[in-house]
Amino acid sequence: MKRRNAIGLGTAGIAAAGAGFAAGRFWPATSEAAALDPNAEAIAFYGAHQAGILTPAQDRLHFAAFEVITADRDELIALLQAWTVAAARMCGGDYAGPGGAAGGDYYAPPDDTGEAQGLPASGLTLTIGFGPTLFTDADGVDRFGIADRLPEALRELPPFALDALDPAVSGGDLCVQACANDPQVAVHAIRNLARIGFGTVSQRWSQLGFGRTSSTSTAQSTPRNLMGFKDGTANLKAEDGDLLEKHLWVGADDGADWLTGGSYLVTRRIRMRVETWDRTTLAEQEEIFGRDKSEGAPLGATGEFDEPDFEAEADGVPVIAAKAHIRLAHPTMNGDARMLRRGYSFVDGSDNLGRLDAGLFFIAYQRDPEAGFIPVQRSLSENDVLNEYIEHTSSAIFACPPGVRDEDDWWGRALFT
Ligand code: HEM
């Protein structure tokens, strides 16, 4: 069995981060269980770009935002190194200790909380992002000696019309997006990273999601959101070639060398007034989106992937309404703005009026938020008829660094070295 070590981290580094993984411990590249299980679905952790962006959207999400509670730069670096080791192990579906699962060996506390024992990798991806507040605090103080590396584009998002944001569940110094096809695997991953970070970071807010509301590959069918419409039809997709360099990945000339090959992440928790929506007619719902509900075709067309004809009229009235969601969000309306949407549905119980606290946890990746999310959201927040049925309750922006190249690399190395 091939063995690898913990990317050469010294005991001091891991201990400083409060890591639960004993330094010097050797882990198998994949556990016996994962290697034997054809459904293991392990997704490569190492690569030029972080997994979890272009990866075909998995079915489940656990997204967490953290605050860094240490003022010690070395402790933060040690945490990022320890997180990288743990993330690589978990994404490989490796919950077994040195003896491997076949030998009945599993990591025991405090090295792992244990609830993923015996489960395959389940397509787990872990994607890290750095928020603007990691660089400078509210008083402009350079927290970790990286203020001069704050990218121009990593600014707090501007206020938008109708924002109803709760600051307690917005922002964050760090984020980790865990996506998997098994909710337990995603939850386990975030829980273990939080455990490793104890004393260095504290969890600020988190969000569970299900039923991906987007497809990020042409190989995937388009799922439906909680309003019952196909969502993700006109999304950027893995097969989009040059468009990805233009609209998704930060380029070498974009002014932040450490972020080349990374991407900006915007999250918005958007509550849906589903009970009100459910009382509207089919015709009204279709007019609001500008697509038919069953097939997902633009109004006036027949196929889901037909191009919308925004010029078409019937009896002097635009077939796709002037304020239809797909017209307002279309690249031609927003200076060719494009992003890769990767959101999830959520249902967080009910409120005290008996209404579902449900909606869309919107996630979008882009090369530059000023040329992606911001103009589109400005257009939608001011004009979209959908606003009668939704409310944005949380917002955050992060810069996601490029991928971890190999076992000597770690999340954020280019930023801190
Ligand atoms: C398209 C739903 C919020 C950006 C769509 C479509 C649906 C939809 C059903 C048509 C299918 C597709 O092409 O994916 C929703 C719902 C939202 C929401 C239910 C809120 C709860 C947003 C937000 C943004 C956004 C906040 C960005 C600021 C887009 C874009 C398109 C789109 C760029 C593709 C437009 C095109 O090129 O045709 N959305 N959306 N959406 N949406 Fe949204």
Side-chain angles (χ1 to χ4, degrees):
M1 180 184 298
K2 182 184 171 230
R3 294 190 165 183
R4 63 169 187 261
N5 74 13
I7 62 168
L9 286 178
T11 315
I14 293 181
F21 296 99
R25 192 159 191 179
F26 288 82
W27 296 314
T30 44
S31 72
E32 298 284 346
L36 292 174
D37 187 341
N39 299 317
E41 301 174 290
I43 292 180
F45 177 75
Y46 301 107
H49 305 295
Q50 287 197 77
I53 301 175
L54 268 189
T55 308
Q58 303 92 322
D59 197 49
R60 301 296 181 131
L61 168 81
H62 192 187
F63 189 97
F66 297 87
E67 284 173 9
V68 180
I69 54 174
T70 178
D72 185 330
R73 177 186 159 106
D74 291 340
E75 269 186 49
L76 172 59
I77 289 173
L79 171 70
L80 292 169
Q81 292 172 334
W83 267 7
T84 309
V85 172
R89 174 172 80 73
M90 292 190 286
C91 291
D94 178 10
Y95 305 112
D105 196 3
Y106 282 103
Y107 288 109
D111 289 345
D112 196 297
T113 49
E115 71 273 24
Q117 272 187 25
L119 296 177
S122 308
L124 177 67
T125 54
L126 293 164
T127 315
I128 197 167
F130 303 133
T133 50
L134 185 70
F135 295 78
T136 54
D137 67 13
D139 301 320
V141 174
D142 183 355
R143 296 179 64 189
F144 301 106
I146 50 173
D148 61 343
R149 310 201 77 183
L150 175 69
E152 185 67 26
L154 189 60
R155 302 261 169 242
E156 299 292 351
L157 292 170
F160 296 102
L162 305 176
D163 271 355
L165 306 179
D166 178 354
V169 292
S170 296
D173 298 335
L174 300 170
C175 77
V176 179
Q177 171 198 274
C179 296
N181 292 317
D182 182 329
Q184 184 127 338
V185 168
V187 167
H188 168 267
I190 293 294
R191 182 175 168 199
N192 274 274
L193 295 181
R195 179 187 56 73
I196 292 167
F198 184 75
T200 308
V201 291
S202 76
Q203 206 160 310
R204 181 174 167 85
W205 57 270
S206 67
Q207 180 69 51
L208 287 174
F210 64 91
R212 64 185 172 87
T213 60
S214 228
S215 34
T216 54
S217 162
T218 53
Q220 294 185 293
S221 61
T222 314
R224 292 182 189 273
N225 59 35
L226 290 183
M227 287 176 156
F229 277 75
K230 288 188 183 175
D231 205 339
T233 304
N235 201 12
L236 271 184
K237 297 202 168 126
E239 297 78 8
D240 279 339
D242 291 348
L243 282 181
L244 303 177
E245 298 305 323
K246 190 170 174 206
H247 297 287
L248 180 62
W249 304 121
V250 175
D253 300 329
D254 290 352
D257 54 347
W258 64 268
L259 196 54
T260 304
S263 194
Y264 291 95
L265 162 61
V266 171
T267 66
R268 306 280 287 187
R269 182 183 186 276
I270 308 175
R271 182 167 177 190
M272 294 173 177
R273 300 187 180 109
V274 285
E275 291 80 5
T276 316
W277 178 256
D278 294 343
R279 280 183 225 120
T280 58
T281 63
L282 175 64
E284 195 177 334
Q285 293 186 357
E286 293 183 334
E287 187 179 332
I288 287 171
F289 282 113
R291 287 186 178 268
D292 86 70
K293 194 167 185 175
S294 176
E295 171 65 24
L299 294 183
T302 50
E304 184 193 342
F305 296 100
D306 291 351
E307 281 300 316
D309 180 354
F310 294 120
E311 305 299 321
E313 293 190 351
D315 302 327
V317 177
V319 173
I320 298 177
K323 295 190 172 183
H325 185 78
I326 65 161
R327 184 191 287 272
L328 296 171
H330 198 266
T332 52
M333 295 290 287
N334 303 291
D336 198 29
R338 284 169 206 249
M339 62 198 105
L340 181 129
R341 288 171 286 142
R342 212 177 191 286
Y344 287 84
S345 295
F346 67 85
V347 177
D348 293 340
S350 315
D351 65 16
N352 56 7
L353 295 174
R355 302 172 305 191
L356 281 184
D357 184 3
L360 166 67
F361 187 69
F362 178 90
I363 295 176
Y365 289 91
Q366 60 245 277
R367 178 177 178 178
D368 178 3
E370 281 287 352
F373 176 80
I374 292 173
V376 179
Q377 178 55 16
R378 199 168 278 135
S379 161
L380 292 176
S381 66
E382 290 168 8
N383 302 297
D384 199 351
V385 184
L386 187 63
N387 291 330
E388 287 180 28
Y389 304 93
I390 62 173
E391 188 174 54
H392 288 234
T393 59
S394 141
S395 174
I397 182 167
F398 302 95
C400 301
V404 176
R405 300 263 167 183
D406 52 37
E407 295 175 14
D408 295 321
D409 196 5
W410 42 276
W411 272 339
R413 182 182 52 80
L415 173 60
F416 287 94
T417 54

